[in-house]
Amino acid sequence: MNAVALAKTAYNSSSRAPLRTSRGTEYEAFAKVTHQLGRARTSSFADLAQALHENRRLWTLLAADVADDGNGLPDDLRARVFYLAEFTADHSRKILSGDEDATVLVDINTAVMRGLRQSEGAP
């Protein structure tokens, strides 16, 4: 399964247990960094590096959260989120070296945002 497919299923409607923060807060964090990434793709290298840094910070926080034994998410979902964090770090290095672009990171974040929005009304 590729990273975008994992992102699309990471927050599907069957995952009812929230992360430690509210889904609305998570959505806003993703929206902010995704907007930065989108703008930075056509901006300076410094802007791109800053946007990648912010995106990696977000994914690192999520990875730390799902790695915690007290996290209430199902193990499969925790593993998928952790994998996406690793993929994001690896892909960011490739972007900074000029081998890739940020499109897939924007796609992953957008898929997660859609999932957060869909599950926001879930109990």
Side-chain angles (χ1 to χ4, degrees):
M1 186 175 261
N2 68 35
V4 175
L6 283 171
K8 288 179 181 177
T9 62
Y11 284 97
N12 66 25
S13 60
S14 68
S15 61
R16 303 233 187 271
L19 293 175
R20 290 184 185 152
T21 60
S22 72
R23 294 210 187 272
T25 301
E26 291 171 354
Y27 182 92
E28 290 304 317
F30 271 102
K32 179 181 174 185
V33 298
T34 304
H35 180 71
Q36 270 185 294
L37 280 172
R39 273 190 326 211
R41 288 186 296 179
T42 59
S43 190
S44 70
F45 183 80
D47 289 342
L48 178 60
Q50 180 62 36
L52 289 169
H53 173 71
E54 294 300 324
N55 191 56
R56 284 194 297 193
R57 278 185 47 191
L58 174 60
W59 279 102
T60 299
L61 287 171
L62 289 171
D65 188 45
V66 298
D68 186 270
D69 290 337
N71 186 288
L73 291 174
D75 289 345
D76 182 57
L77 178 56
R78 291 170 62 187
R80 286 183 278 163
V81 171
F82 195 85
Y83 168 79
L84 288 171
E86 288 181 323
F87 176 86
T88 297
D90 183 57
H91 197 75
S92 295
R93 283 188 291 276
K94 292 176 183 176
I95 294 167
L96 290 171
S97 68
D99 297 331
E100 294 286 347
D101 67 33
T103 302
V104 71
L105 298 181
V106 171
D107 292 345
I108 289 169
N109 287 5
T110 301
V112 170
M113 288 167 56
R114 267 193 299 268
L116 286 168
R117 209 30 109 192
Q118 288 173 354
S119 64
E120 194 171 64

